[in-house]
Amino acid sequence: MRTLAKTKRLVKKVKANGKTIGFVPTMGYLHEGHLSLVRIARRKSQFVVVSIFVNPAQFSPHEDLAKYPRDMKRDVALLRKEKVDLIFCPSVNEIYPPDYKTYVYVKKLNRLMCGASRPRHFQGVTTVILNLFNIVKPDIAVFGAKDYQQGVIIKCMTRNLNLDIKIIIGKIIREKDGLALSSRNIYLSPRQRKNATILYQALRRIRYDFRQGFSDPRRAKTMMRQMIEKKNGRINYIAVVNKNTLSPVKKLGAGTLIALAVFFGKTRLIDNTIL
Ligand code: PAF
């Protein structure tokens, strides 16, 4: 585990030795989903860096920053098992010193879907990711597909700012019953945990109907809404959009992204599928 200055020095050495760096940024409380991203980084690069940093800038004041789950000891043990070369756990002060003033955001995309109800969230994500990229200097960086919009926004930032980093999106890892793995799943009561499997069922239902020739996005949203509300899910949004632009589609087609955010109690879960 290294601090900022030591990390910069080590990265310089690794680069000087001609090794490629693969980077997996995380907020810790790791699960199989994160580890699958680490394995991708391992396959595609010669030196793997994982950061653990619960980024205050991506939480709104009323959100769960203080109680975001943390277990550094367990995370480090898991990453050591994966033979990660460097675990970077900066302090909040190292990333955001008291005189910190610089933020980056990706216009428009940051206001859609998750951004509509979390207006500063993606600005916080892109700001910390650009900062981490500048510290770790990766050749590739791996993100999970569950936060699909985050991946689109980071790819856009990387392209627009000419960062020489390949962004790779690893697939969603699910529990046996279909629930997408998330650090926030531990907040769910046993009943909410059971009900939350409806998210995957609703997404699968639309995939199935699409294969049978169904193509109406409005009807798709209504069907999903009804299925989810029956299980006490409170819908934040259901989006049926183009997977690259995130703009709404008039007809379901190959490449349509169906993404949703739903509260079970106070816990907000996201999931998605691409047709
Ligand atoms: O997906 C996450 O865990 C976070 O948004 C990220 C990319 C590590 C930035 O803090």
Side-chain angles (χ1 to χ4, degrees):
M1 288 203 301
R2 301 232 172 193
T3 54
L4 201 149
K6 282 185 184 165
T7 298
K8 280 188 163 176
R9 279 202 297 276
L10 181 59
V11 162
K12 219 173 177 177
K13 267 195 208 155
V14 173
K15 291 259 168 203
N17 288 336
K19 285 192 178 171
T20 54
I21 298 183
F23 179 39
V24 183
T26 80
M27 297 209 298
Y29 211 71
L30 304 177
H31 50 64
E32 228 4 79
H34 297 109
L35 300 182
S36 72
L37 307 181
V38 172
R39 287 168 203 145
I40 295 174
R42 167 61 60 223
R43 278 201 302 279
K44 297 198 177 272
S45 66
Q46 294 159 321
F47 189 90
V48 176
V49 182
V50 176
S51 64
I52 299 178
F53 180 66
V54 182
N55 173 33
Q58 69 189 74
F59 290 79
S60 300
H62 64 280
E63 289 181 338
D64 56 348
L65 171 63
K67 72 176 181 83
Y68 193 82
R70 291 161 167 92
D71 191 342
M72 191 60 89
K73 230 173 127 185
R74 184 175 155 273
D75 287 350
V76 169
L78 286 171
L79 294 175
R80 292 228 162 103
K81 242 193 197 161
E82 296 296 326
K83 303 203 170 8
V84 165
D85 298 291
L86 169 61
I87 305 170
F88 176 44
C89 311
S91 67
V92 173
N93 246 312
E94 281 179 303
I95 299 294
Y96 302 113
D99 61 345
Y100 190 88
K101 292 184 186 63
T102 306
Y103 292 84
V104 282
Y105 67 93
V106 173
K107 247 167 87 173
K108 291 192 181 154
L109 291 178
N110 69 337
R111 293 293 174 155
L112 305 173
M113 297 161 56
C114 289
S117 60
R118 308 184 74 197
R120 278 184 304 177
H121 172 70
F122 288 115
Q123 172 176 298
V125 171
T126 41
T127 297
V128 81
I129 290 299
L130 184 57
N131 202 338
L132 293 171
F133 279 176
N134 283 330
I135 298 163
V136 173
K137 303 208 183 325
D139 297 280
I140 64 154
V142 194
F143 296 83
K146 183 169 67 66
D147 296 274
Y148 187 89
Q149 184 179 10
Q150 170 172 280
V152 171
I153 287 176
I154 287 168
K155 278 185 183 168
C156 181
M157 173 181 78
T158 307
R159 212 169 45 241
N160 288 171
L161 298 182
N162 290 302
L163 307 178
D164 254 343
I165 301 167
K166 184 171 182 202
I167 306 299
I168 298 175
I169 307 294
K171 67 179 194 320
I172 299 178
I173 306 295
R174 299 181 179 280
E175 301 279 8
K176 277 208 182 80
D177 61 9
L179 183 68
L181 296 192
S182 163
S183 306
R184 289 189 168 96
N185 289 349
I186 56 144
Y187 298 148
L188 299 168
S189 70
R191 170 166 287 251
Q192 288 165 348
R193 167 67 188 77
K194 208 166 158 207
N195 284 342
T197 58
I198 195 64
L199 302 185
Y200 185 53
Q201 287 163 28
L203 292 169
R204 276 181 52 146
R205 170 70 198 271
I206 301 304
R207 288 181 70 86
Y208 175 83
D209 288 354
F210 171 64
R211 283 200 296 269
Q212 307 304 310
F214 172 83
S215 67
D216 179 355
R218 276 208 355 223
R219 178 101 191 86
K221 284 191 198 182
T222 308
M223 276 162 49
M224 286 193 286
R225 179 175 291 278
Q226 284 168 353
M227 288 177 77
I228 292 167
E229 285 179 346
K230 257 194 206 154
K231 296 286 180 183
N232 298 327
R234 188 161 48 82
I235 289 163
N236 180 215
Y237 71 80
I238 300 176
V240 182
V241 297
N242 175 287
K243 75 177 166 79
N244 300 316
T245 62
L246 305 184
S247 10
V249 294
K250 295 204 170 83
K251 250 180 115 177
L252 303 185
T256 298
L257 166 75
I258 305 185
L260 41 78
V262 175
F263 284 94
F264 288 89
K266 286 192 176 145
T267 307
R268 183 176 177 278
L269 301 181
I270 55 174
D271 202 347
N272 69 74
T273 191
I274 295 176
L275 298 180

